[in-house]
Every structure is written in C-alpha cells, then in structure tokens.
Amino acid sequence: MTDTFRITMAQLNPTVGDVEGNAAKAKIVWDTARAAGSQMVALPEMFIAGYSTQDLVMKPTFQKACYDRIVALAAECADGPMIGIGGPLAENGRLYNAYFILKDGKIAARQLKHFLPNYNVFDEVRQFNRGAIQGPYDAGPLRIGSPICEDAWFPDVAEAMVESGAEILVVPNGSPYYRGKFDRRMNTMVARVIENDVPMVYVNTVGGQDDQAFDGGSFVLNRHGKLAVQLPLFEEAVAHVDFHRTDDGWEAAEGPKATFGDAWEQDYHAMVTTLRDYMRKTGFKKVLLGLSGGIDSAIVATIAVDAIGAENVRCVMLPSEYTSQGSLDDAEDIANRLGVHYDYVPIKQGRDAITETLAPLFAGRDADLTEENIQSRLRGLLLMALSNKFGEMLLTTGNKSEVAVGYATIYGDMNGGYNPIKDLYKTRVFETCRWRNANHRPWMDGPAGEVIPVSIIDKPPSAELRPDQKDEDSLPPYDILDAILEGLVDDEASVADLVAKGFDRDVVKKVEHLLYISEYKRFQSAPGTRLTKRAFWLDRRYPIANRFRDNA
C-alpha cells in the first residue's frame, strides 16, 4: 500500500462567467501538479463558474457551459493527477453547488453542498437545492471527504464523511473577507479537525468580485489542529503538500507558512485587490477621480495608484470660488507625490451659466442647498464627460459615514463606477492614511513614503460648497457620528442602547433619521469594497420607503 500522497492546493482567482479562462487556469495548475508528481489538484468552490455568480448560476445555458467544460477538462487531464473542481450541477430539475472529482478522463465522483448559506452576502437557498450528506470518494491509497465551504462550518457533514471512511478532509471554499474573518474561519476549522481526528486541506478562492474580496489564506491542518501549511492573503498561490501515512493516520509535511499583516493592512489590501480586479474583470484600464484636496479623494487616489499604477490614474481638481488655497496646494501636492496625471478644470464659468439660466425661475428665493448641489452636480457632469471621452472609469470617493447619512450629492459627487472606501468609516479613513504613509508592501504599485500630505490628514473636513464650511456644521464630530453609526448599522442597536452608552438622544435620533432617509441614495450608489459584515448592499437590505422610527 502506498504510504505517501501529494496534493496540489491551488488558491486561484477565477473570473465569474469566464468558463474557458477558468478552465485554462485549472489546466495550467494541473500541468504543474503532474510535473511535481502530485496525485490530486484541489481547486476552490464553484471555480469553473467563478464565485459568487449570484443569479447567473440559475441560467440553464450557463449551467450547461460549466458542466460541458468540466467534462472536457476531465478528458484533457486523463493522464495525471485527479482534480477536485467546483461548479454547478443541474440534475433532475434541481441545481446543486457541487464539487467534481475528475479521474481517468471522466467525472469519477461528485460531492454536493448540504448547508446552503442564506445570510449576509449569500443567497444560496434561492439559487441551489440542498444536497444529501455523502460519504468520501476514492483517491487511490486513501479516501477523501470534501465538505463544501459552509458544510465545514457545522459538525454534521465532516463527521458523516469521517465516520464512513474519510481519512483526509479537502474543503473547497468561496469564503469572502470581512475584518476579523480569518481568525473566526481558522478557529472553526480547527474545531472540525479536533472533532474528527483527521487532517484538513482548506482551499479558498482569492481575488475581487464586485464588492467582495476573497482573501485566500488557504491552509493545511494536521490532527489536533496543528498548522502545517499557510498560504498568503489576497495573492494567488500554489502549494504541493505531501501527506505520509503514520500509525495514527495521515499527516501533512511541514510547508510554507505565510505571515499576515494587521487589520489595517488587510483592509487596505482588500480595497486595492477589489479595485484592481473590478477593473480587470470589467475591461477598464484607467480611472479618473475628482481630487479635492480632502482626505477621501486623497486615499482613493492612493488606492488607485497602488492597484493599477500611476500611469493609469487621472486626477482632476475642479475648483470654485469656495475652494481654499490650502486645498488647491494639497491636491497638486498629492498628485505630484503619487505621480498621476493632474488636470485643473475650474467650474466658475459653467456655474455662472447655470445660475443665469435658473435665475428667472429662482427669483425671490434665497440661496440654499440647491446652489451647493449645483456645484457638486456640475463637477459630476464634467468628470463623466472626461470619463466618456477618454474611456476612463470614474471613481467615487464617499466614505461609509457620508454614505450612511446621505452627506453626498446624488448625480454629483456620487457619480462613478466604483468606490473602494464605501465601507470605511471616516475615522478609519484618517487612520488608513496614516497607515499607508508609514507602510509599503510589494503588492502596492505606488511609491513608498509619505504619499498623503500631513496637511490633508490634519485639516478639518469640508465640502467647500459655501464660505468657511465645515462638515461639523451639519454633522456631529466624526468620532461621535461613527460610534453612533456602528451601533445603528453594524450592531443594529436601538436608540435606547446608544443613549445608555452616553450619547445624546437628540443626536442619535438625528443620525437615525438621516440614515433612513438616505436609503434611496445608497440604492443608486456605485458598488464598493466590502470590509465588514454590515456593508451597504447585500449585507444590509432596507426598504427605501420606510416610516419606522425607533421611538422607545
């Protein structure tokens, strides 16, 4: 009996809908694995389709394209290691999230996902049918069980597989990032290993898909939960893992063990990754954004440069008479530090023309928010014109605090195709800027050093739409606002809960009101990087027309 077994774990970045491209990536890894003498290649959940497909997976022609390509891949890879690859399976009027085992030129086995997640960003109960709990499959010298992603978050499936003969668990995943997710994931998988007294190969997807960042971080655990192999976060990686039969069962040899940065680094890496992949997967090559001299556009410009390089980023200053000299200087300063293309496009002439056009209709009425919004919408029009003319995707730059309370102008500064800081509260924007100035990593395409001028970080935030305007004229100080929003949004706390923590009830009620009445803006906002379990979009789905207020 053979006493060794080599598994090639492939932490790869698929593209949703690119069935041929995903199959090609699988074939390249299979070639590498065959050359390395592996007996199995383990790919992530739904790899042939990409993940998450949302309702695309319910389209019969897409299901057929995925299945046909898996059958063809099996034939192409007949002479060499077996393959585990995720994809949809339509059978007898039902649709399953499946893991196909390809061996000897055909589909030799299938594992069907049993536990379907239906919370946060997941809608798998809507999309798939639940598969029966199954036993393991034959892998030559041993038997392997493959609980699919959510299946490993509960004891049932892994326990049934081991009880029916599985000697190793190979777990394919499409597990997206949120702050603190890796530790929770690792603790759960350690529990499965300890419960079942067998090793585990955990293979996760990596890369960006719309708002979601898949952080990879694949690993191998030996019995008792001992870490044998750790792959990096947010990067593609392939590792050949040797298992040896011992008197106590199979054991993985020690392999590479990547180390991780802190939460600030992981959030930043997620924002860079999602923007880079959103560009690549949608076909855009270049971006532009309005560079105001403020902190939000500064961090978005820096993320963009780190994601796709300074040569692919255009920054545009669109000043009015209310734009301070400090903002003009700061915008030009950061543009020079980042090395981006910088345009200067004053809005006075256009604003004067609009004011003159509307003057007969506005006669007898005092200036108010309308005139401020005209400035923002004129900037949005000019930026969209540049986007159309040069084929560059416009980035929008509103942080989570502003997105939450509607401190942004719809069809104005909310214009854009992507927003990497959409799930980053304002107080975290400040700290992220400080972190980026102090840190540089190989995955960043931008320069090292103090790329964001300290003057931008230190000055009071202002939209500069009227004389001497400050954000705190309209909103509570950001440390208070963010703490209240974290309660209302992230924790679903009541008004009474927040008052009990010491917040002024009138301020909490004002924030609650702004949060509810801004839903229509968020409904029309650009997608942006998900960093928490309560990001605006799939994590938090509230009605637009809603009269509920917490008056307890």
Side-chain angles (χ1 to χ4, degrees), residues 63 89-96 127-131:
Q63 298 163 10
L89 172 64
E91 188 173 71
N92 299 325
R94 298 170 72 82
L95 181 63
Y96 301 102
Q127 296 154 348
F128 297 105
N129 296 105
R130 175 185 268 205

Side-chain angles (χ1 to χ4, degrees), residues 319-321 345-356 378:
S320 73
E321 65 268 36
V345 184
I347 67 169
K348 183 180 186 305
Q349 188 174 0
R351 182 169 178 247
D352 288 347
I354 293 170
T355 300
E356 183 178 348
L378 178 55

